[in-house]
Amino acid sequence: MEYKKNTLANGLDLIGEVNKSAKSAAVGFFVKTGSRDETEQINGVSHFLEHMVFKGTEKLSAIEVNEAFDRTGAQFNAFTSEEVTVFYAAVLPEYLLEVTKLWIDLMRPILRGEDFTIEKNVIKEEIAMYKDLPSFDVMDRCRSLHFEAHPCGKSVLGSVESIDGLTAEQMKDYFVTRYAPNNMVLACAGNFDWDQICSLVEAPCSRWQKQPVHRKLEHFGGSKKKQRLEKPNLQCEHLCLMSAGVSAQDPKRFSAFLLATIIGDNVGSRFYWELVDKALAETAVMQFGAMDGTGLLFSYIRCSSENTPKVLDTVTGIFDSLYKDGITKDELTKAKNKILSALVIKNELPMGRLVDLGFNWIYLKQYRTVEDDISDVRTVTVDDVNSLITQLKPGDFTQFSIGPAKSA
Amino acid sequence: MEYKKNTLANGLDLIGEVNKSAKSAAVGFFVKTGSRDETEQINGVSHFLEHMVFKGTEKLSAIEVNEAFDRTGAQFNAFTSEEVTVFYAAVLPEYLLEVTKLWIDLMRPILRGEDFTIEKNVIKEEIAMYKDLPSFDVMDRCRSLHFEAHPCGKSVLGSVESIDGLTAEQMKDYFVTRYAPNNMVLACAGNFDWDQICSLVEAPCSRWQKQPVHRKLEHFGGSKKKQRLEKPNLQCEHLCLMSAGVSAQDPKRFSAFLLATIIGDNVGSRFYWELVDKALAETAVMQFGAMDGTGLLFSYIRCSSENTPKVLDTVTGIFDSLYKDGITKDELTKAKNKILSALVIKNELPMGRLVDLGFNWIYLKQYRTVEDDISDVRTVTVDDVNSLITQLKPGDFTQFSIGPAKSA
């Protein structure tokens, strides 16, 4: 495993971790932009822009882009979150240069007016589709209820209204600042030649213009409000609970991962034994979301409507007992074993490694080996987790539920 | 890469592929049983039984089972399909023996009456939950419409009625026959010691009783019926199309994979260019499902209700043009590149390799290297795919749709 780094004069960072024994290679652009960087008026533009990137460049039509990916047989995709837009591909080693060249081209998309108009409909269909998924919809609505006016409350997809109102000009302006080289990183992992990547990148990416680019960072503890939405033909109740977590920069993030695993891993956690194993809920999980300057603990629970009051009582009981007695040593050991094996297995594949490389760079501007993470997980103590419980008060949550009409 | 095989006197096959350079190891029991092996009366028993396996053995309580998994930090799970029930785990190499020992114990579950009663509710909640997911529900209903009385039309989850009516006695009877050693295979992949696995398995598994066990195999071309279900609060139309495919044993299965990729891969396919790129549909994909003695080509399309007639016309146009002109050489080359890179990347991880090892054994009783599959994909010709189109007539499909009320 060899770590490599290079920075162009315009601020674009190139990072790589070479593993000559891998059978594949992965490459990706990580752009530090997402719905939290949008105003209300252009909400959804980051995700819409991610779609537009595939529509072509000055030299390449959308068909040619697609054909270029097809030639390499790449497993490729992109995703947009509240904070990051990522474009990635995993390929056989002999295709890495070709697919990297393609991503470089695509990072300067032409953003044609006709494509913008057609793609608006695709985005609106995607918004409609997610409204049909209560497990997704409840998280999105809870996030907005929790963060209120804080930038992290904005929906990644935007609303039909904001998408309808968006102009191609607004998207172009957003693009110029947010896709500036000093707001991006190109990462590679797996079996590849670093020098070849550097020479490929140098000329085209050096032409990209550095820009002044900022993100507002502010921690927010959450509104702690409760709301419920009725949807007549649903069969069960979907609940989302959100409370404050620590940030992606906070050294306590490893304790927070362990805490969420102890409370709400999909098996063997407190939620599992009290809710799922007792058949009160069909699913009950908690995750920790480390974010830029802030963070979330969020839970998703699905149960029958008649069980909901009992489920919420049980959840309160779980948090009360954590406040009173904390976690046990045995719980911590098991949570560590789970997180450590997941870490190693995920990072065994170049594509998994790429994501960790890129995210560590976006949030920390730091290269961390898998061993660094392993060691930080190992050193967390019972006291560390217990003092985090006292600090975060996870029982003090915002709650959104979607379920059938009460009369049903 | 070293292939290993051993068969116990009672017919239990042990297979393994050792890769000493892997950082993890994976192990799994593949049981050749699923909803197609059930009668109407006990529909859902295979999936219910998969849940019951985790409830413990004569010596282990459910809590002890869970704790045993937690100690190893395993990434473990199980799934049930129409044809196979699979229990698997991926771990760091030092935990493989421990987790294998645990699976061996669990393959002889105690099936306690109290657990059976509690778990019934969990299963019914799971049935309710999937009813809230139109993308899942439409596939399930289409499969049943397509296969009619053929065993493959049975829902994996069963119905609330069949689950309510199921007795613990019926489950035990089903278990004895279907989990017979001669109807299962234990597979290992990644970094492990084959001799240690063999000595671990020998004593406990040799006590399992061989049983006469059968599966009815019959190809079925499908009903070709059309049905629509209205759900008032849906935002969009969910369509499922199913037509006959070739079986998992048919050498033409590689041509069928290529055909489904050409027609309906999520990017760059005919569906993609005609439906998704033109913003007629939000999603339009086709997959090939190789099954025991039969097979399916199935498509899932999501679009707005007003676009549905145009979407169906376009689909008809795509199939007509395939009947008339067949596929192009260029389409075949691209589909091969995609399938080949997906194959290599999936099999790079022990967990991915395990699934292919196990399925090849269940369906073919054959060990196949990744290279065998690569070579079979490479040798498919344009004529092979075109004659498969003539044989299968994919435009002749069963259709199920779920969407909002027409008046909306």
Side-chain angles (χ1 to χ4, degrees), chain A residues 61-203:
Chain A
S61 69
I63 299 192
E64 287 163 334
V65 170
N66 210 291
E67 284 179 341
F69 276 117
D70 277 1
R71 265 198 309 277
T72 67
Q75 314 257 292
F76 72 103
N77 213 335
F79 61 88
T80 307
S81 74
E82 291 78 13
E83 311 201 308
V84 194
T85 309
V86 181
F87 301 86
Y88 64 91
V91 286
L92 302 183
E94 58 266 38
Y95 292 112
L96 187 74
L97 287 176
E98 195 173 337
V99 86
T100 305
K101 164 102 180 47
L102 185 57
W103 280 131
I104 293 172
D105 289 345
L106 293 184
M107 286 303 103
R108 288 302 172 260
I110 188 163
L111 306 175
R112 288 181 199 91
E114 317 89 87
D115 295 334
F116 179 83
T117 311
I118 294 177
E119 202 63 18
K120 255 195 189 186
N121 291 322
V122 175
I123 302 287
K124 288 196 282 182
E125 298 240 346
E126 197 171 337
I127 293 173
M129 185 268 291
Y130 277 112
K131 292 278 166 213
D132 281 353
L133 290 177
S135 58
F136 176 92
D137 197 25
V138 76
M139 301 284 268
D140 219 34
R141 289 176 189 268
C142 191
R143 186 178 289 107
S144 145
L145 183 68
H146 179 79
F147 279 108
E148 297 192 309
H150 184 278
C152 289
K154 285 206 194 64
S155 157
V156 170
L157 295 173
S159 63
V160 172
E161 296 70 37
S162 66
I163 296 300
D164 264 334
L166 191 72
T167 67
E169 219 40 59
Q170 285 172 320
M171 180 180 282
K172 277 180 193 165
D173 289 346
Y174 179 87
F175 169 78
V176 169
T177 327
R178 305 302 309 183
Y179 281 56
N182 47 316
N183 203 39
M184 300 167 74
V185 55
L186 174 67
C188 293
N191 193 344
F192 69 97
D193 183 301
W194 174 250
D195 293 333
Q196 285 185 334
I197 289 284
C198 288
S199 16
L200 179 74
V201 169
E202 182 77 34

Side-chain angles (χ1 to χ4, degrees), chain B residues 160-372:
Chain B
V160 172
E161 296 70 38
S162 66
I163 296 300
D164 265 334
L166 192 71
T167 68
E169 219 40 60
Q170 285 172 320
M171 182 181 278
K172 278 180 192 164
D173 289 345
Y174 180 86
F175 169 78
V176 169
T177 326
R178 306 301 309 184
Y179 280 56
N182 48 314
N183 203 40
M184 301 166 73
V185 56
L186 174 67
C188 291
N191 193 344
F192 69 97
D193 183 302
W194 173 250
D195 293 333
Q196 286 185 332
I197 290 284
C198 288
S199 15
L200 178 75
V201 169
E202 181 77 34
C205 295
S206 291
R207 285 194 292 270
W208 301 353
Q209 290 281 323
K210 191 170 184 161
Q211 301 287 340
V213 52
H214 302 287
R215 165 176 286 173
K216 275 190 224 156
L217 288 189
E218 214 178 329
H219 177 65
F220 185 68
S223 75
K224 322 271 160 77
K225 289 183 180 165
K226 321 269 172 206
Q227 265 185 33
R228 184 174 189 271
L229 178 74
E230 282 191 5
K231 285 206 168 180
N233 74 349
L234 283 188
Q235 306 280 331
C236 46
E237 195 81 11
H238 301 256
L239 290 158
C240 181
L241 317 176
M242 286 187 178
S243 60
V246 299
S247 76
Q249 290 83 18
D250 194 321
K252 282 182 278 189
R253 65 189 184 276
F254 298 97
S255 300
F257 273 119
L258 288 159
L259 175 61
T261 304
I262 289 167
I263 299 178
D265 193 34
N266 68 327
V267 280
S269 63
R270 296 211 176 187
F271 277 3
Y272 176 81
W273 288 114
E274 300 292 322
L275 297 167
V276 179
D277 182 66
K278 297 217 164 64
L280 277 175
E282 200 260 321
T283 295
V285 291
M286 177 186 271
Q287 285 185 286
F288 164 53
M291 302 168 71
D292 209 0
T294 185
L296 269 185
L297 289 170
F298 57 99
S299 305
Y300 171 68
I301 301 174
R302 193 165 52 226
C303 60
S304 69
S305 290
E306 59 273 26
N307 277 351
T308 310
K310 206 163 167 194
V311 163
L312 285 168
D313 280 353
T314 308
V315 167
T316 306
I318 291 171
F319 287 124
D320 284 349
S321 117
L322 281 170
Y323 292 160
K324 200 166 145 269
D325 305 315
I327 63 158
T328 67
K329 193 157 175 31
D330 188 50
E331 282 180 313
L332 183 63
T333 307
K334 286 184 204 152
K336 283 186 183 182
N337 281 351
K338 288 187 199 181
I339 288 178
L340 292 176
S341 88
L343 249 175
V344 171
I345 292 170
K346 180 187 168 203
N347 282 283
E348 194 168 354
L349 207 59
M351 189 55 233
R353 189 64 195 126
L354 179 79
V355 172
D356 279 10
L357 270 182
F359 276 66
N360 282 334
W361 201 259
I362 286 284
Y363 287 113
L364 306 164
K365 285 258 179 193
Q366 217 181 75
Y367 169 66
R368 292 178 58 88
T369 62
V370 180
E371 290 68 31
D372 289 337

